[in-house]
Structures are given as C-alpha cells and as structure tokens.
Amino acid sequence: MELGLKNKVIMVAAASKGLGYGIAQAVAQEGARVSVGSRTEADILAAADALRRETGAETLGSVLDARDAASINNWVEATVAKFGGVDGLVVNAGGPPAGGFDDFDDAAWQAAFELTMMSSVRMIRAALPHLRVRGGGSILAVTSSSVKEPIDILLLSNVMRSGVVSLLKSLSREMAPEKIRVNNLVPGRILTDRVKSLDAIGAKSSGRSVAEQQAMQEAQIPWGRYGTIEEFGRAGAFLLSDAASYITGETLIVDGGAMKTVW
C-alpha cells in the first residue's frame, strides 16, 4: 500500500526516543520530511541524525518544551522556515507522575494540566494555520490506554488525557470541512522507558521482581508480549497518511488485544 507520505512535512513532538521516535521513524521510512522536537538538545539532535542516517529522510531536530507556548511556537516556525509548511502534527508529551489522589497538591494538578492538556491545545493552535494553508492535513495525538480503562496509579494521566481525547473528538468535527483529520493513538504495553519505569513501580509495590512484574503484565496480553515502538510507529504513520483519508475523530488502540472495553 502506498501511504502517500512522500515529501509530506510531519512534525512529531517528544520524539527523541520511545513512541514519538517510533512514529518519526515510520513516516521517515515512507519518504516524509520530519521535524522532531524534545526538551534536551543533545538528545533531539542525535535522534534527528539517527533518522537521517537510517532512512535518508530530510530531518530537523529542535528543542521543544511542551509546557511552554513560546517553545512550541518556535518549533513550528523553525519547521516552516526549513520545509515550507506543515502537513501533519503528532501531539505528544511525557506523562504526568504516577500516584493516587492523596499524592498530589494543587501545584501537581496544574503542572499535569500544562504538560498534557495545554501542550495539546498549544501545539494544535500553532500548527493549524499552516495545515490550513496546505488545504488540509492530519493531527494525531498520542495518549494512553487510561482514556479507555483508568489505571489505578496514574490518576493525573487518567484525567488529563481523557480531556485531550474530548478535545480531539470536538476538533475532528469542527475541522472536517477544512479537510483536517484529527485522531487519537493509544499505546498499550509498548516497551518504552516509561513502561519500564511503571513496571519498576508496580514491582516495588507488590514485592515482585521487575522480571516477574513484566511477566505478569505479558500474561494479560492476548498477543503474549509487549509491543515494539516500530509496531506503534507504523500505526501512527497510517493514521497520518492519505491511506487513512476517511478516518477522523477515532481512537486506534495498539495493545496486542489487551483492552477489554468494547468501545
């Protein structure tokens, strides 16, 4: 299948590693020009260089603090200056800290709001004029399985990411006349540093070893293992592409069949 991503300009946030890097890698392999952003300059420049070497794609690495509006705007402006426009945006940011209700004060709630909800609003707001100039495009947000089945130790993520999904569903309808598609991509247990840290937390609280904790999690996945960032990235590339031209307002779950919810 030809995805139609060749020479498209795709922006991917939080892409120095993990899920973001997986999507950036997949679209680059399809011939897209890729602008990646992340907080640490050395890491994101290394990621952009790795993508260029692995795929031959044109890449741009930029410092991006998802909590800062000026940083987001600078990333979008740098992308347009280098590539001449934007065809797709991947909204992504690191997750809020783990914990339950009693663990968080007002400052923690506000920080989670800025990191997860407002970063999504600001990235979309900054990229939207450039998508409109193109006559359409695609917005894809990476959220969490917590938007379908709340996770006990991830209260902040449960709340904030559910808000992001509501935002995306609303925007999918509002932006459809402008040929801008808006979708949500949900990872299950994908083998990233974030999942490894959650396994470590779960192991500590349960008295298991990390290996035992991972084995317990894998036993609950019908596919019998954690997913890879490459598998997740290919799903993201599809939703960003012309091959998904009649898909908008949807949530695609990449979890090896683990989730039990019908909707």
Side-chain angles (χ1 to χ4, degrees):
M1 181 189 297
E2 173 57 54
L3 294 186
L5 283 170
K6 189 173 179 60
N7 294 322
K8 293 290 182 70
V9 179
I10 307 296
M11 301 182 66
V12 187
S16 64
K17 58 184 179 180
L19 302 177
Y21 187 87
I23 296 174
Q25 182 183 55
V27 298
Q29 288 169 340
E30 293 293 326
R33 295 180 287 173
V34 186
S35 174
V36 290
S38 191
R39 281 184 298 175
T40 304
E41 183 176 24
D43 290 347
I44 198 60
L45 293 180
D49 184 60
L51 289 168
R52 190 181 307 113
R53 286 186 283 102
E54 291 169 3
T55 69
E58 291 183 73
T59 64
L60 172 67
S62 302
V63 175
L64 170 66
D65 184 345
R67 299 162 297 185
D68 183 76
S71 181
I72 291 169
N73 289 334
N74 289 342
W75 177 44
V76 173
E77 289 170 7
T79 301
V80 174
K82 181 173 177 65
F83 295 126
V86 178
D87 298 291
L89 169 68
V90 178
V91 176
N92 188 25
F101 187 77
D102 290 333
D103 297 319
F104 302 119
D105 58 13
D106 283 6
W109 280 97
Q110 187 63 43
F113 175 71
E114 291 291 331
L115 175 64
T116 303
M117 173 57 79
M118 287 310 299
S119 68
S120 303
V121 170
R122 290 165 178 154
M123 286 183 201
I124 294 169
R125 182 188 290 143
L128 190 54
H130 304 287
L131 294 171
R132 285 171 167 152
V133 167
R134 293 288 218 218
S138 180
I139 297 169
L140 179 65
V142 176
T143 58
S144 165
S145 60
S146 65
V147 306
K148 292 288 189 178
E149 295 179 348
I151 299 170
D152 290 344
I153 63 170
L154 294 181
L155 178 63
L156 294 177
S157 179
N158 296 343
V159 175
M160 300 303 168
R161 293 195 192 280
S162 294
V164 172
V165 174
S166 292
L167 169 68
L168 298 175
K169 186 64 175 181
S170 298
L171 292 180
S172 71
R173 297 182 62 81
E174 183 175 335
M175 295 180 182
E178 299 180 88
K179 306 305 179 188
I180 297 171
R181 297 182 300 105
V182 186
N183 291 293
N184 176 43
L185 189 61
V186 168
R189 304 295 289 195
I190 309 297
L191 194 57
T192 63
D193 288 346
R194 169 77 164 172
V195 166
K196 290 176 184 177
S197 71
L198 293 175
D199 280 346
I201 292 170
K204 184 177 180 180
S205 66
S206 64
R208 301 184 185 93
S209 69
V210 173
E212 289 170 336
Q213 180 70 17
Q214 181 173 336
M216 184 199 72
Q217 294 288 348
E218 288 180 329
Q220 298 175 48
I221 302 170
W223 214 242
R225 62 171 175 82
Y226 286 3
T228 68
I229 64 169
E230 290 80 11
E231 289 170 317
F232 185 81
R234 288 192 289 270
F238 169 71
L239 285 176
L240 287 162
S241 76
D242 292 345
S245 58
Y246 200 54
I247 301 174
T248 193
E250 296 302 323
T251 294
L252 176 62
I253 301 166
V254 184
D255 72 345
M259 199 169 292
K260 298 181 177 68
T261 180
V262 174
W263 300 108

